Amino acid sequence: MTANPGGSLVLLNPGPACTSDRVRAALGRGDWCHREPEFSELLASIRSGLTRVLNVADTHEAIVVTGSGTSAMEMAVISAVRADRSILVVRNGVYGDRLAGIAEVHGITVHSVGGAWTDPADPQAVRAALAEHPDVDAVAVVQHETTTGLVNPVGAIGRIAREAGVLMVVDAISATAVEDEGHEDLNADIICGTANKGLHGLPGISFILCSHRGIERLQEVPVRSLYLNADTCLTGQRKGDVPFTPAVQVCFALDEAIRELEERGGVAARVAEYKERAALVRAGLARLGLEVLIPAEHRSNSISMIYLPEGISYPELHDALKADGFVIYAGQGDLARTFFRVATMGELPLSTLERFLTSLETAISKIRAGR
C-alpha cells in the first residue's frame, strides 16, 4: 500500500484525501444498474456498516446520498425544522456559517450563537439562546471546524438541546472516525458525514445518520427539496431502492473503505492513528519554530492551522511544496494572509509526514535564500 502511487501528489488538504490501493481498486468492479438486487445488497451493506463502525447501530439509521458533504448538511438542515419554526446555529467558522446559509436559502428563520473562530462554542450561550427563542426547533453545530482545526463541545451542546426538547443536528463531516471513537456521545439526532475524509473513501457520497426522533421529524417537515428529501430517500433505501441515480462506483469504494476500517481495528484504532500523526507533525512544526493557531486542548486530530513563516507568502510556500509532491491548504477569509493549513487525513504513513516536514524545512530555506 502506498499513499503516493506513481509519484502522484500527497494531499495535505482537508479532503479529498489520499486513499488506499484497495479502495481505489474497488472502483473497477464494473458497471452496475442501481435497480438490480446487487446494488440493493451493496446499499444495505453501506447503511449497516456506517452505523456499526460509528457505534450507533441501535439508535440511528443511515441515509446515503450522492453528493459532497454539503449535500448531507443541506439534507440535515431542511429535514430538522418544521413549518413556522426556526433553527439555532452555532457559528464559529466557515462551516457554521454554511449551515446558517443553507437554512436561509430555504426560508428557515435562523438564530445564531456567534463566537471567535479560535474559541470553542459555549454551551451556556446555546442554553441562553434557546430560552430567548422558544420557536427554535433544532440546534445545529459543527463538531470539527476545519476553518481553523477547532473542535466544539458537541456532546454538552447536545445535552442542552435534549433538555430543551429540540432536535440536535451535527456536522461531523471532518470529525467522523477522526475525533471520537463513535458518534454515540454526540447526543445528536441527525449527524452529517461523508465517504471521504476520516472514512478514507472517495468524494461523491455523503450520508446522514438519523435517530428515532430524527426519523419522526423527517416525516413532519414540509418538502423543501426534490433531490434532498430525506423522508423519500429513507423510505426507498429501507427497501433497497434509491430515488435517483447514485454514484455506484463511489459506493463500491465506500463499502470497501468500511471493510478496511473494521479489519484495521475499527474507529478506535483510527483515532489513535490520527492522534499519532498530529503529534508527529506538530512536534516537527515546533522544531521549525512554526506556531499553531488553536490552543492544544481545543485542536482537532487532523487539521493544524499554522502561522506562515515570517516574510513568506502562502503562494510561495504552496508552490515550493507542490513542486516536491505535497499539497497544503490556504487559510479561509482574512486568515489566508497569515496562515496555512496542513491536514493529516486519509492514507498517510508516518514516513510520508516525516518527508513532508523535511520538505517544508527545505522549502522555507530555499525561499529565504532566493530573496
Side-chain angles (χ1 to χ4, degrees), residues 52-337:
R52 184 175 63 249
V53 297
L54 297 173
N55 296 331
V56 291
D58 294 334
T59 58
H60 289 66
E61 194 167 349
I63 303 174
V64 179
V65 60
T66 293
S68 70
T70 301
S71 65
M73 293 169 69
E74 187 155 1
M75 178 180 279
V77 168
I78 66 176
S79 301
V81 184
R82 289 168 292 190
D84 302 320
R85 304 296 296 273
S86 66
I87 188 168
L88 178 65
V89 181
V90 175
R91 303 173 70 167
N92 60 346
V94 167
Y95 297 96
D97 290 346
R98 184 172 296 181
L99 287 167
I102 289 167
E104 290 165 352
V105 163
H106 289 278
I108 299 170
T109 299
V110 176
H111 304 293
S112 299
V113 172
W117 284 11
T118 53
D119 295 334
D122 179 3
Q124 297 311 314
V126 173
R127 187 190 300 277
L130 287 172
E132 182 181 356
H133 302 290
D135 63 320
V136 168
D137 221 15
V139 174
V141 61
V142 178
Q143 184 179 5
H144 169 211
E145 264 288 359
T146 53
T147 308
T148 56
L150 174 76
V151 176
N152 280 316
V154 170
I157 294 171
R159 285 192 293 273
I160 289 169
R162 187 158 294 172
E163 290 168 8
V166 302
L167 220 63
M168 177 70 170
V169 175
V170 174
D171 170 356
I173 287 168
S174 61
T176 297
V178 178
E179 297 304 326
D180 51 47
E181 297 181 5
H183 286 332
E184 68 273 23
D185 294 329
L186 298 183
N187 298 310
D189 298 292
I190 303 179
I191 305 168
C192 311
T194 186
N196 197 225
K197 301 185 190 286
L199 289 178
H200 298 190
L202 288 162
I205 291 290
S206 61
F207 56 88
I208 64 172
L209 307 174
C210 295
S211 69
H212 303 307
R213 192 163 71 125
I215 290 170
E216 289 178 1
R217 180 63 56 85
L218 308 182
Q219 299 161 352
E220 297 171 345
V221 300
V223 175
R224 294 184 169 108
S225 171
L226 178 67
Y227 187 75
L228 296 175
N229 184 275
D231 187 39
T232 301
C233 291
L234 178 60
T235 299
Q237 289 182 24
R238 282 174 165 174
K239 298 183 293 186
D241 196 10
V242 286
F244 309 103
T245 304
V248 176
Q249 283 73 18
V250 183
C251 288
F252 291 158
L254 175 56
D255 189 52
E256 198 63 41
I258 293 170
R259 294 175 191 274
E260 186 175 62
L261 172 59
E262 291 187 295
E263 290 172 14
R264 292 182 180 179
V267 172
R270 180 153 294 173
V271 170
E273 179 184 359
Y274 270 85
K275 288 180 178 178
E276 186 177 14
R277 294 178 189 180
L280 184 151
V281 168
R282 289 164 184 166
L285 294 171
R287 286 195 301 272
L288 297 176
L290 299 176
E291 295 184 32
V292 177
L293 173 63
I294 300 299
E297 63 270 24
H298 302 312
R299 291 175 193 165
S300 74
N301 294 328
S302 64
I303 302 287
S304 295
M305 183 75 149
I306 308 154
Y307 285 88
L308 282 163
E310 186 176 357
I312 295 177
S313 70
Y314 173 75
E316 289 176 308
L317 187 61
H318 170 274
D319 292 352
L321 287 167
K322 188 172 182 180
D324 200 28
F326 298 96
V327 175
I328 58 172
Y329 216 51
Q332 291 177 288
D334 292 340
L335 299 177
R337 293 193 296 270

